[in-house]
Amino acid sequence: QVQLVESGGGSVQAGGSLRLSCTASGYTYSNYCMGWFRQAPGKEREGVATISPGGGGIYIANSVLGRFTISRDNAKSTLYLQMSSLKPEDTAMYYCAKAVSSWCRLAREVFDFWGQGAQVTVSS
């Protein structure tokens, strides 16, 4: 069965950096678009970034553009989210997700499996 496990979350001060990882299993990882979403308390789940199966096509949400980037290592079945210049408003639970196909679109409905989430807390 499909499993996605996030790691690398934690607490950092504003301006700091953090790298999240997501290890995937139970499917052919290199065939699917992958994405990152986040959800803060009381807010809707928000798309952060997507990456195409081969890693050559990425999309970064405007809210984090220039500060975050997404990457993948297909040999290790691992997805990454590199976060820098972190702000308190980045505080959220971050979720790794698998899309239903190779196509990427930053919308919840195109993702069918989700990780358990990794908490990121940014203090001012």
Side-chain angles (χ1 to χ4, degrees), residues 4 12 101 106 120:
L4 303 172
V12 297
S101 73
L106 195 58
V120 172

Side-chain angles (χ1 to χ4, degrees), residues 3-50:
Q3 292 187 12
L4 303 172
V5 181
E6 297 98 336
S7 61
S11 298
V12 297
Q13 292 190 319
S17 298
L18 203 61
R19 189 192 199 195
L20 301 182
S21 297
C22 170
T23 57
S25 61
Y27 70 102
T28 304
Y29 176 72
S30 62
N31 286 352
Y32 293 87
C33 170
M34 297 291 294
W36 287 98
F37 290 74
R38 66 185 184 183
Q39 188 167 21
K43 298 183 67 177
E44 298 291 327
R45 189 166 297 189
E46 173 190 30
V48 175
T50 62

Side-chain angles (χ1 to χ4, degrees), residues 5-10 18 20 35-49 68 81 83 86-97 108 114-122:
V5 181
E6 297 98 336
S7 61
L18 203 61
L20 301 182
W36 287 98
F37 290 74
R38 66 185 184 183
Q39 188 167 21
K43 298 183 67 177
E44 298 291 327
R45 189 166 297 189
E46 173 190 30
V48 175
F68 291 13
L81 183 67
M83 303 180 289
L86 283 161
K87 304 175 180 180
E89 51 262 47
D90 295 320
T91 295
M93 186 73 74
Y94 283 72
Y95 297 92
C96 167
R108 291 187 65 195
W114 301 79
Q116 83 287 352
Q119 179 65 44
V120 172
T121 302
V122 184

